[in-house]
Amino acid sequence: MNLCDMSDAKFQANPYPYYSEMRSEAAAVRVDPGNMWAVTRFEDVDKVLRNPDIFSSARSTDDPDNLFEKAFGGQVIIGTDNPAHKRVRSIMQKRFRPKQLSKMQDRVEEITKNLLAEVRDQAAFDLVPTFSVPLPVIVIAELLGVPNHKIEEFKRWSNALVTIVNSTSGSEKEAALAEVMALGQYFAESADQRRTDPSEDFIGMLVNAESEPGKITPGEIIANCAFLLVAGNETTTNLLGGMVKTLYDHPEQLALLRDNPDLIDNTIEESLRYCSPVQGLFRRATKDVELGGVKIKKGEQVWACYAAANRDPGHFPDPDKFDITREGNTHIAFGWGQHFCLGANLARRESRTALKQLLPILDDYHLETPIDWLPSWFLRGPAHLRLKRNN
């Protein structure tokens, strides 16, 4: 196949035929942007993710793509290998343990109920800006300790970070960088505030760890708070949007779920596989290596494509079928290995709560087409889901 440009609108509208072609061609194929290697077969993606000594997540401080180091003065955990990764993750993961997340459940349910109450009686509404965006943004903001009046700025900053990674336009990146710098300044000031007035929120927890020798630096605090801003809301927003669209596309599955609400967890896992909200993440080869007969040189960038692996017919029976009763669903929508998504349990918890409360509503509305997708190649979700009440 010709070099696939993943920044092209046709690719972003439906990347799955392209992924199928890539899987058929070779274990790794060249793609743009960046002329990087895309790895699309389940077995090979698994190999990349489980071998950080060969496929590194680390970014050097002088790497021009090292946004977090450049903007915030510290690296983010997804851009490091052990021992640096383990050092910082061991602090951060304390807030994502099941016991800690269970304390948030009542609040997640309250936010969900309030958001849906605002649209429940409307003749038509757009589910993305009214529900699937604000729910995870509010949740992650409150976890971080960001006040409610900053929520709108919070989402704008998150969008700017995504733009810098996704866009190939210099002017777009320059405009977004100004927003990102404002985000860094906000978290720097928030951390300073907690140094003089300690708190028990996430930022306060990271600041407290500064007193432990070699635990975390001020720049790492800023960078990882910024990272959680994106990771904590973009994944869940796109999962919710993709899941609702897919259920409308498969009315027999929606009816099955309505009649069997105990399939909610299965539905979430199948949605993660079928419409992976994060399409993939990056690694860099630490040495010359051969992957499935393809020679990758030291220093070359590799894109481990979760979404393509999750539709690999060599691993999943009938992979292009959306089946909420699917068994043995070993998808990798949250990654694998030491970089397994820190917030996976939070995303599942939010999605479970959201789907439970959405189910009684979905049958009252139909989805208007066409659907616009986010202009992104590494994140995937509908930009809008316009629902209109049935006559």
Side-chain angles (χ1 to χ4, degrees), residues 119-125 364-366 387-391:
V119 299
R120 185 65 181 92
D121 295 325
Q122 293 183 17
F125 64 95
D364 296 337
Y365 293 83
H366 63 271
L387 302 186
K388 188 172 183 179
R389 186 176 291 279
N390 299 323
N391 294 328

Side-chain angles (χ1 to χ4, degrees), residues 117-182:
E118 294 181 11
V119 299
R120 185 65 181 92
D121 295 325
Q122 293 183 17
F125 64 95
D126 188 338
L127 188 73
V128 174
T130 60
F131 182 73
S132 61
V133 166
L135 172 60
V137 171
I138 294 170
V139 171
I140 196 65
E142 292 189 0
L143 185 149
L144 283 166
V146 174
N148 288 339
H149 70 270
K150 301 292 288 187
I151 295 294
E152 190 172 327
E153 281 182 287
F154 210 55
K155 181 58 181 174
R156 193 177 74 240
W157 290 333
S158 176
N159 290 343
L161 278 168
V162 172
T163 295
I164 289 177
V165 176
N166 183 72
S167 178
T168 58
S169 165
S171 59
E172 279 189 356
K173 287 190 175 187
E174 186 175 347
L177 185 59
E179 295 282 6
V180 170
M181 298 305 291

Side-chain angles (χ1 to χ4, degrees), residues 210-350:
E210 282 182 316
S211 61
E212 302 177 41
K215 274 294 185 181
I216 195 167
T217 68
E220 287 171 336
I221 291 175
I222 298 170
N224 282 288
C225 285
F227 162 63
L228 281 183
L229 163 59
V230 177
N233 80 81
E234 295 291 349
T235 298
T236 307
T237 289
N238 294 330
L239 171 58
L240 290 174
M243 180 165 55
V244 169
K245 182 197 180 293
T246 302
L247 284 168
Y248 272 121
D249 287 345
H250 299 81
E252 79 289 348
Q253 296 291 299
L254 178 56
L256 178 63
L257 176 60
R258 183 187 61 243
D259 295 339
N260 300 272
D262 57 317
L263 288 173
I264 280 180
D265 286 345
N266 277 44
T267 301
I268 292 168
E269 298 307 312
E270 178 67 345
S271 298
L272 284 162
R273 184 198 68 82
Y274 186 85
C275 47
S276 304
V278 177
Q279 298 284 281
L281 285 179
F282 308 102
R283 298 293 187 269
R284 197 175 297 275
T286 62
K287 61 181 180 181
D288 291 353
V289 62
E290 188 172 299
L291 188 68
V294 177
K295 294 180 180 179
I296 298 173
K297 294 181 180 179
K298 178 181 178 179
E300 288 189 319
Q301 185 159 270
V302 172
W303 189 55
C305 185
Y306 303 169
N310 284 335
R311 295 278 193 103
D312 184 350
H315 189 82
F316 296 98
D318 204 359
D320 292 321
K321 179 182 179 181
F322 180 70
D323 179 7
I324 65 172
T325 66
R326 184 181 295 272
E327 297 180 358
N329 191 349
T330 54
H331 67 76
I332 50 174
F334 290 121
W336 252 186
Q338 66 185 31
H339 283 282
F340 181 79
C341 178
L342 188 67
N345 286 334
L346 177 59
R348 285 175 166 129
R349 184 179 293 268
E350 290 177 79

